[in-house]
Amino acid sequence: MVTTHNLGFPRIGARRELKFALESYWKGQSSREDLQHTGAGLRARHWRSQATLTLVPVGDFSFYDQMLDMSFTLGNLPARVRGFHGDALDNYFRVARGRSAAGAEEHAGCCGGVAAGEMTKWFDTNYHYIVPEFSEETTFTLDAARLLSHLAEAKAQNVSAKPVIIGPITYLALGKARDGADKLTLLPRLLPVYAQLLATLAEAGAEWVQIDEPALVTELDAAWRNAFTQAYQALSTGTVKLLLATYFGPLRENLPLLSALPVQGVHLDAINARDEAASLIETSPPERIISLGVVNGRNIWKTDLEATLDWLEPVANRLGDRLWLAPSCSLLHVPADLASEQKMDTEIRSWLAFAVQKLEEITLLATALSQGRAAVAAGLAANRAALAARSASPRVNNAAVNQAVAGITSALGRRNSPFAVRAAKQAALLNLPLYPTTTIGSFPQTKEIRLARSAFKAGTIDEAAYKHAMRLEIERSVRIQERLGLDVLVHGEAERNDMVEYFGEQLEGYVFSQNGWVQSYGSRCVKPPILFGSISRPKPMTVEWIKYAAALTAKPLKGMLTGPVTILNWSFVRDDQPRATTCYQLALAMREEVLDLEKAGIRVIQIDEAALREGLPLRKSQWQDYLRWAVESFRITANGVADETQIHTHMCYSEFNDIIAAIADMDADVITIETSRSDMELLDAFDHFNYPNQIGPGVYDIHAPNIPDEAQIVSLMQKAARRIPPARLWVNPDCGLKTRQWAEVVPALTNMVNAARTLRASAA
Ligand code: GLN
Ligand code: ZN
């Protein structure tokens, strides 16, 4: 018998029930009991969807984030919320988002707002966790209430529960020591609390506990490797059995370390580290359970079940009852259920598997291993047919597109002249002042825009009326920018719902789901578009809008596009060709758009690469390969233009010291980046690296409603001017302004333009 299990189930709900329950509770529109009721309902439903598995995860459900749950389980609350009134859930939301619920907050005077915990991406996913905070004084105390109550709930529903927790080393590794303390000095204080937690779970009837240590797929130094050994020696003395779960990549040099840990079971990501299974089995003690993650928990494609069985059958023969099967990682990163997609292109739908379908695949594989393939012949045949249809579909493999990618040469991504030559020609053409001002692209998505968009979607207004409404918004934003005295204008992106979806909808090779939501953080979800096939651009996508805006003004108007790497990184992409190939296809399609904009007379074109950094592999040793094709893709999109055409790019993060050479290699004429939140600290990178082109370090944080004052902006720019010659500096906000109100944008940009004037005057 093969044991089947799951590492975690998407908790937001197939219809985002949790999102709506949380938001209504936070606004004070529903009670604590309503929220708890929705939570319990979702857990019960999710356990039912997993009922065919031998072991079902419990504790993976969260009102906000599993790392924050762990912090509360370990009693590691930031000092700033400790004296507050209310109960654990109030404090939980205070750490998560700065405040508890509106109605539940009876102590606005004494415990109103508080700084929210920092949020960071969970490994290389688009999920964000709340970073645990440590200091030298940090102590830990067990609070197992949440886990115990979920376990009791599961027991009452006859769920064969396997509690899931985050392991001590990953917990420490992902936290931040505020006072620069060495986090590992906390380990001796942390381990007894973990031991107590495991004992408590055992007492509550748990036979197995899944303890997640994805830190094992990252590069670890000797101290952290030792910490693993120390931790698991300390935790091995309990009665509960530990399934140590690793995922998101291969173990490499950490494989012997993992093998030697005294745990009863190990889970390996057999999608990304299939070739390590043999050596893990070889080096594991003879009784150890080996759990193999054979269904991809990070994509939405059906698994090739027969190919998986070809590989698994000999492994199963060797392992017998010691083999467990699961998805590669928690299913948190995929949508819940394909059954909610009734409007999708049926051909493409037949190639997909969401969380529920992925678990069906696990069950089918286990049955095939236990009873032979004949027992699941119909399921295998259906799977084979779906896969064959997918690979034969001309929509998936378009010969012309493949040929174009094969024909890419490095000349395609090279500008005609070096930057200095281009810069002179662009200066002559654009005639901009010193410290030119611009914005990053979007202007407020007003109520009028949203109303017109939903009316158009609902069919209550026609396309002409919708376009008219958008043109009015564009005109308004151009007029406001002229009045403000900005130097390079934008059209404001009124017509765009989302910077990736907008292009995906117009490219061949994409489909969209109705309910394919994936949690990004807290109640926030994204619905990544599904890139299933060869990418091509049937017709221009933005030219009409940009031309319209440009004709309204005598000032240069910047065309606005999303770059290929960002489109790739924010989509579910195909698994049947390398990411690089898909990225090159996107690059060629976006290149056509750039050239069409240029042909339409647009002399400044911005290509956003907001997500370039987040595509970096988990291991530094693989960065170069990613950066090579990512940068090359950008260059293919951007660099086909004449010297006179000025290419901008935008990135919204501050840590890029370690990839600055690659960014320079993109050879954009101007790059605008986020810097204000770090007080221009990011520009430290320029002390060591001479960034050759022009740069607009964001002078104010658009994520907050605050209006930056002129002096503040001048001082930030003066800091920048100490590292970068003023002749190469631009003045702009951190990012796009779509989440702000005009009432904030106008005064903020007024101050920004005035600051630029002050800077020019003092430079003259
Ligand atoms: N041009 C986009 C905007 O202004 C950029 C958004 C982003 O960087 N995330 O909205
Ligand atoms: Zn941005």
Side-chain angles (χ1 to χ4, degrees):
M1 259 300 287
V2 178
T3 296
T4 55
H5 71 121
N6 184 18
L7 273 59
F9 195 83
R11 54 207 175 210
I12 205 75
R15 305 271 164 182
R16 288 183 294 163
E17 292 89 336
L18 181 58
K19 171 196 177 69
F20 301 120
L22 282 168
E23 290 173 359
S24 126
Y25 172 67
W26 291 335
K27 281 189 216 137
Q29 291 165 351
S30 56
S31 69
R32 173 75 65 94
E33 290 65 42
D34 293 336
L35 178 64
Q36 300 285 14
H37 181 77
T38 304
L42 285 170
R43 287 192 291 276
R45 192 212 291 165
H46 297 164
W47 289 332
R48 274 198 306 277
S49 321
Q50 303 175 82
T52 55
L53 301 175
T54 324
L55 289 170
V56 173
V58 170
D60 55 338
F61 181 87
S62 174
F63 275 140
Y64 206 92
D65 165 48
Q66 70 268 18
M67 278 295 268
L68 187 60
D69 287 338
M70 208 59 219
S71 288
F72 274 71
T73 303
L74 298 168
N76 180 27
L77 278 65
R80 64 181 180 281
V81 301
R82 259 186 222 152
F84 279 10
H85 298 94
D87 65 2
L89 193 65
D90 286 320
N91 271 342
Y92 181 81
F93 287 136
R94 284 181 187 120
V95 182
R97 52 192 287 277
R99 61 210 171 280
S100 185
E105 194 67 86
E106 287 145 18
H107 303 272
C110 46
C111 23
V114 63
E118 190 182 326
M119 223 166 38
T120 285
K121 282 162 75 59
W122 176 245
F123 295 86
D124 59 352
T125 72
N126 203 8
Y127 176 79
H128 301 71
Y129 68 94
I130 305 283
V131 179
E133 297 174 33
F134 303 119
S135 74
E136 268 166 27
E137 270 76 59
T138 301
T139 53
F140 304 96
T141 44
L142 181 63
D143 176 357
R146 189 189 67 93
L147 275 167
L148 289 177
S149 86
H150 290 189
L151 262 181
E153 234 174 75
K155 204 172 191 179
Q157 294 168 39
N158 279 321
V159 173
S160 51
K162 174 196 57 177
V164 178
I165 59 174
I166 298 192
I169 307 304
T170 298
Y171 179 73
L172 276 183
L174 296 191
K176 206 164 173 179
R178 295 244 162 248
D179 48 9
D182 174 6
K183 290 183 282 181
L184 283 177
T185 61
L186 301 176
L187 189 59
R189 278 177 242 170
L190 183 58
L191 290 178
V193 181
Y194 264 92
Q196 213 186 331
L197 171 61
L198 295 176
T200 307
L201 294 173
E203 232 167 86
E207 184 194 358
W208 283 94
V209 171
Q210 173 189 322
I211 190 158
D212 286 5
E213 290 285 13
L216 271 168
V217 307
T218 64
E219 284 147 343
L220 300 168
D221 65 20
W224 285 91
R225 294 165 59 87
N226 285 337
F228 264 107
T229 309
Q230 189 192 337
Y232 284 89
Q233 256 151 20
L235 299 182
S236 67
T237 53
T239 53
V240 79
K241 296 181 193 157
L242 293 183
L243 176 75
L244 194 153
T246 72
Y247 40 80
F248 298 152
L251 296 157
R252 309 251 156 129
E253 70 286 357
N254 298 330
L255 192 144
L257 169 68
L258 170 62
S259 268
L261 297 179
V263 289
Q264 290 78 4
V266 166
H267 172 83
L268 178 81
D269 175 343
I271 294 294
N272 291 300
R274 181 157 298 183
D275 53 356
E276 291 181 343
S279 121
L280 180 67
I281 294 166
E282 201 69 54
T283 53
S284 282
E287 344 48 74
R288 179 183 279 168
I289 298 297
I290 303 290
S291 164
L292 295 174
V294 290
V295 165
N296 197 329
R298 294 285 294 275
N299 75 17
I300 38 69
W301 301 107
K302 278 189 171 147
T303 307
D304 185 338
L305 295 175
E306 287 177 325
T308 306
L309 283 173
D310 290 344
W311 175 75
L312 264 180
E313 278 161 350
V315 179
N317 282 339
R318 175 155 177 205
L319 288 173
D321 287 349
R322 289 166 56 213
L323 174 64
W324 288 16
L325 288 187
S328 61
C329 60
S330 165
L331 296 175
L332 180 64
H333 312 290
V334 295
D337 191 352
L338 197 57
S340 342
E341 298 303 323
Q342 291 312 325
K343 289 194 186 152
M344 196 186 280
D345 181 320
T346 50
E347 183 186 10
I348 291 165
R349 189 176 177 279
S350 71
W351 306 337
L352 304 183
F354 290 179
V356 167
Q357 289 69 40
K358 284 175 184 284
L359 294 176
E360 287 165 5
E361 293 184 336
I362 292 292
T363 308
L364 188 144
L365 288 168
T367 311
L369 292 178
S370 308
Q371 301 169 28
R373 295 192 194 199
V376 288
L380 289 178
N383 177 262
R384 190 187 318 128
L387 262 57
R390 180 179 166 204
S391 66
S393 168
R395 296 167 75 187
V396 170
N397 290 305
N398 173 321
V401 174
N402 291 344
Q403 235 164 41
V405 169
I408 289 174
T409 61
S410 63
L412 208 58
R414 226 178 293 128
R415 295 291 290 262
N416 297 330
S417 310
F419 171 73
V421 174
R422 284 155 21 211
K425 292 189 190 172
Q426 291 161 18
L429 187 77
L430 296 171
N431 198 19
L432 296 171
L434 191 64
Y435 291 109
T437 53
T438 191
T439 59
I440 305 304
S442 57
F443 276 118
Q445 286 270 329
T446 58
K447 203 172 80 214
E448 293 81 50
I449 298 179
R450 279 196 299 267
L451 286 177
R453 186 150 27 247
S454 51
F456 179 44
K457 246 188 173 168
T460 51
I461 61 170
D462 64 7
E463 190 175 344
Y466 171 72
K467 285 194 167 170
H468 179 69
M470 294 303 120
R471 275 197 289 266
L472 285 180
E473 286 293 331
I474 291 172
E475 177 166 11
R476 156 149 83 149
S477 85
V478 169
R479 295 290 166 247
I480 295 176
Q481 293 173 81
E482 286 187 319
R483 228 176 301 134
L484 287 167
L486 286 154
D487 299 305
V488 172
L489 313 194
V490 296
H491 79 300
E493 302 182 24
E495 80 291 6
R496 300 189 191 174
N497 38 358
D498 172 278
M499 63 187 286
V500 170
E501 196 170 57
Y502 182 74
F503 291 98
E505 279 171 351
Q506 301 186 72
L507 291 168
E508 210 60 70
Y510 266 105
V511 283
F512 295 83
S513 65
Q514 262 177 291
N515 292 296
W517 298 101
V518 178
Q519 195 174 8
S520 171
Y521 63 88
S523 66
R524 263 290 264 278
C525 303
V526 294
K527 193 151 63 72
I530 297 169
L531 190 163
F532 69 86
S534 289
I535 293 294
S536 59
R537 188 200 67 145
K539 56 177 200 292
M541 303 181 281
T542 64
V543 176
E544 188 193 326
W545 297 109
I546 303 292
K547 247 168 71 177
Y548 170 75
L552 294 169
T553 177
K555 294 249 175 123
L557 188 124
K558 181 162 66 165
M560 198 59 55
L561 301 173
T562 303
V565 188
T566 297
I567 299 181
L568 179 89
N569 285 340
W570 285 347
S571 301
F572 277 123
V573 299
R574 35 198 299 198
D575 60 347
D576 58 347
Q577 70 185 14
R579 287 174 80 80
T581 308
T582 307
C583 200
Y584 287 138
Q585 292 184 1
L586 288 164
L588 288 172
M590 296 309 291
R591 175 187 173 93
E592 291 174 22
E593 188 70 14
V594 169
L595 296 177
D596 277 346
L597 282 172
E598 185 183 50
K599 238 182 267 159
I602 306 301
R603 304 331 296 253
V604 184
I605 300 170
Q606 176 174 312
I607 304 160
D608 291 324
E609 284 293 15
L612 186 121
R613 190 176 209 290
E614 65 184 63
L616 282 171
L618 287 174
R619 286 169 178 270
K620 255 199 163 134
S621 58
Q622 283 154 11
W623 282 18
Q624 274 325 307
D625 180 55
Y626 165 76
L627 288 171
R628 184 185 48 73
W629 59 255
V631 168
E632 182 61 16
S633 296
F634 178 87
R635 294 176 61 111
I636 290 166
T637 294
N639 291 351
V641 295
D643 287 351
E644 288 77 7
T645 301
Q646 186 172 68
I647 296 288
H648 291 219
T649 189
H650 164 70
M651 290 172 194
C652 28
Y653 33 80
S654 41
E655 325 148 59
F656 70 41
N657 294 19
D658 45 4
I659 57 168
I660 187 138
I663 288 174
D665 225 23
M666 290 160 67
D667 202 20
D669 296 301
V670 182
I671 178 170
T672 55
I673 48 176
E674 180 195 305
T675 26
S676 67
R677 274 189 289 189
S678 69
D679 197 31
M680 298 278 159
E681 241 174 58
L682 144 70
L683 299 181
D684 289 351
F686 296 88
D687 291 342
H688 317 286
F689 184 88
N690 185 13
Y691 185 79
N693 302 359
Q694 297 178 24
I695 181 158
V699 291
Y700 80 92
D701 177 10
I702 58 91
H703 303 91
N706 316 351
I707 312 293
D709 65 37
E710 185 191 320
Q712 212 176 318
I713 298 175
V714 169
S715 131
L716 281 173
M717 286 305 297
Q718 284 166 340
K719 277 192 179 177
R722 264 173 245 141
R723 273 110 158 183
I724 297 147
R728 286 202 269 125
L729 281 173
W730 287 65
V731 183
N732 48 261
D734 251 0
C735 193
L737 297 161
K738 75 164 157 224
T739 57
R740 301 262 61 91
Q741 318 260 318
W742 277 112
E744 297 152 358
V745 166
V746 170
L749 293 180
T750 304
N751 295 351
M752 192 185 88
V753 171
N754 286 336
R757 291 188 180 128
T758 304
L759 288 160
R760 282 169 209 153
S762 63

